[in-house]
Amino acid sequence: MTQYKGAYWPPTPEIAKALNVDAVVEGSVMRIGDRVPIAAQLIDAPNDKHLWARSYERDSRDVLALQDEVALANRTPDQYRADAR
């Protein structure tokens, strides 16, 4: 959500309440030469607790594969079960 991008944003519990969500993914994407590193972390929003963090990096020509890798790695068990049906 671009409204929460920049130097200041409200506390995570406040963002989660506004978005009506239980968890928030925070992260950064950079481009360094031909490489695209991504850092992502999942926050239990109501409690403002860090649940996990992961880093990913690929060649910029593989950016769609990188997008898929990040999306698949951050799925819940329920989402995997839904896809298996």
Side-chain angles (χ1 to χ4, degrees):
M1 314 287 323
T2 56
Q3 68 207 49
Y4 301 115
K5 179 180 175 184
Y8 171 79
W9 57 84
T12 303
E14 189 177 318
I15 294 170
K17 186 175 181 181
L19 297 174
N20 194 31
V21 298
D22 293 324
V24 174
V25 176
E26 297 178 345
S28 64
V29 178
M30 298 187 312
R31 185 174 182 153
I32 302 172
D34 289 336
R35 304 298 294 173
V36 179
I38 294 177
Q41 62 178 345
L42 183 66
I43 307 297
D44 172 1
N47 300 308
D48 203 13
K49 286 183 67 178
H50 176 267
L51 298 175
W52 59 252
R54 292 193 177 108
S55 297
Y56 308 87
E57 186 172 334
R58 291 268 183 104
D59 188 279
S60 62
R61 293 175 299 225
D62 296 331
V63 73
L64 294 178
L66 178 58
Q67 177 182 322
D68 288 345
E69 180 181 351
V70 172
L72 289 173
N74 299 310
R75 299 175 73 186
T76 66
D78 289 338
Q79 290 170 315
Y80 283 111
R81 283 192 287 278
D83 283 351
R85 293 182 198 150

